[in-house]
Amino acid sequence: MLDRLDRLRAAAATALVAAVVGVPLVAPAGPAAAAPTGPCPQQTVQDGTRGARAVFIGTVEESTREDRTGGQRGATFDHVVTVSRVYRGSLTSDARVRTDITPGQCSLGRLTTGEEYVFMVVGDGNPWVAVGTSGTAPATARLVAQVERLLGAGDPAVAPTPEAAEITRVADAEPRSFSRLAAPGFALVLLGLLGLVVVRGLGSRR
């Protein structure tokens, strides 16, 4: 993934140079699912970054669909995303992004598994939300160059911190000493020895 990102950033740098000298660039076509469906208003990358709470590059690992209920048309999609670079927002290398598809409205639909995207999202991260007008799109060299021109080079995503195990202490509980644990056994042994002495004494009298 790092090699892929390095190549992408190198291409982004080339795109910036080409844009300065006026050389036209041909961006590779993204998958059909990446293009917003329905009527969408014209929007620039600057509009997308301005309205986003988080901006990052990530690869879609898997997705699940949930159809709307109550007579509503369309569906929502929850995507598991591995984040490689963060331009804005507080998040780790693990993220969840929700999109939707609504007939007749501007929406992203299901994103393509294995595809790398520039995500421009809102929400609190549980999950992040990318609507059709968010600016979320495949991570082409041209798009990355535009984002980095607006937000800087960004930072590599960091792995989430593993949760530490918690030990709950029972109130007023003290560990029992070995002598206290062994006392009942010693008592039983002592009673057995006394009983044996008594039986032997009775036998000798007879």
Side-chain angles (χ1 to χ4, degrees):
M1 181 178 295
L2 289 177
D3 291 340
R4 164 80 173 100
L5 184 59
D6 289 340
R7 290 196 300 272
L8 190 61
R9 297 196 65 198
T14 303
L16 276 175
V17 174
V20 171
V21 299
V23 178
L25 291 174
V26 179
T37 61
C40 293
Q42 291 292 328
Q43 180 169 297
T44 65
V45 175
Q46 187 172 11
D47 293 332
T49 57
R50 183 185 296 118
R53 186 167 182 180
V55 180
F56 56 92
I57 293 178
T59 301
V60 176
E61 304 295 345
E62 59 181 271
S63 62
T64 56
R65 174 186 175 123
E66 183 174 349
D67 292 324
R68 292 194 175 100
T69 59
Q72 299 182 30
R73 301 169 63 194
T76 59
F77 303 91
D78 278 1
H79 303 81
V80 177
V81 177
T82 298
V83 180
S84 56
R85 196 158 199 87
V86 180
Y87 298 99
R88 177 187 295 165
S90 177
L91 65 161
T92 64
S93 58
D94 293 341
R96 190 160 60 95
V97 178
R98 179 171 296 170
T99 62
D100 78 307
I101 184 166
T102 303
Q105 296 185 20
C106 181
S107 50
L108 286 174
R110 187 195 295 268
L111 304 181
T112 303
T113 300
E115 181 76 11
E116 192 173 45
Y117 290 84
V118 173
F119 289 94
M120 305 180 196
V121 295
V122 295
D124 59 2
N126 189 31
W128 297 109
V129 177
V131 298
T133 57
S134 66
T136 296
T140 63
R142 183 187 294 274
L143 178 55
V144 172
Q146 291 174 317
V147 169
E148 295 197 348
R149 186 168 55 202
L150 293 168
L151 302 180
D155 298 298
V158 297
T161 303
E163 295 184 4
E166 294 185 2
I167 301 176
T168 303
R169 180 177 180 139
V170 179
D172 300 329
E174 292 291 339
R176 299 176 66 183
S177 64
F178 176 78
S179 59
R180 291 177 61 188
L181 291 171
F186 288 145
L188 290 176
V189 172
L190 183 59
L191 288 174
L193 291 174
L194 290 175
L196 182 60
V197 171
V198 172
V199 170
R200 288 184 176 176
L202 292 175
S204 62
R205 291 180 182 178
R206 292 177 184 175

